[in-house]
Amino acid sequence: MLNNVILQGRLTGDVEVKVMNNQKQTKYANFSIAVPKTKDEAMFINLKAFGETAENIAKYFKKGNGIIINGKLDVSQYEKEGQKTSFTAVVVNSFDFPIGNPKENAQKENENVPF
């Protein structure tokens, strides 16, 4: 089976790395990007990153920066107060800079580029 997602968009907020309360103290980040749907519309995609990947995204990207994501679609289901709920996100396997380097990416943040 194939489960591969490639997205290019802009971060909707700064990425905050947290630590899971498990034996390994796994680092993770939940964040989202805006991906163009049409000229005037965007889709907001939920993302999850773990370990060094989460740390590097938080280090090199800020709100508004462009990013390319390669990952896999993940659907989690949980029950809260007797109601079943599902949550869809893309688990990040790798990432890249749309224009090739983080310094240029940061400079683009202040330009009026829609996506």
Side-chain angles (χ1 to χ4, degrees), residues 49-63:
F50 296 93
E52 193 175 330
T53 301
E55 291 178 304
N56 285 330
I57 291 171
K59 180 178 178 180
Y60 292 110
F61 294 90
K62 301 295 178 207
K63 178 181 180 179

Side-chain angles (χ1 to χ4, degrees), residues 35-89:
V35 176
K37 187 174 181 179
T38 66
K39 185 179 177 182
D40 299 323
E41 291 182 289
M43 297 180 292
F44 296 91
I45 309 294
N46 296 311
L47 303 164
K48 298 182 203 180
F50 296 93
E52 193 175 330
T53 301
E55 291 178 304
N56 285 330
I57 291 171
K59 180 178 178 180
Y60 292 110
F61 294 90
K62 301 295 178 207
K63 178 181 180 179
N65 286 155
I67 189 169
I68 298 171
I69 298 291
N70 186 333
K72 63 182 180 179
L73 197 59
D74 179 60
V75 179
S76 304
Q77 296 181 344
Y78 61 94
E79 193 171 321
K80 185 176 180 178
E81 298 176 9
Q83 256 187 317
K84 290 184 181 181
T85 305
S86 64
F87 179 79
T88 303

Side-chain angles (χ1 to χ4, degrees), residues 1-22:
M1 291 197 175
L2 182 64
N3 181 0
N4 190 42
V5 177
I6 300 172
L7 300 166
Q8 182 172 346
R10 292 191 179 273
L11 272 82
T12 61
D14 290 339
V15 178
E16 181 182 342
V17 177
K18 298 180 181 180
V19 179
M20 286 186 197
N21 288 331
N22 59 15

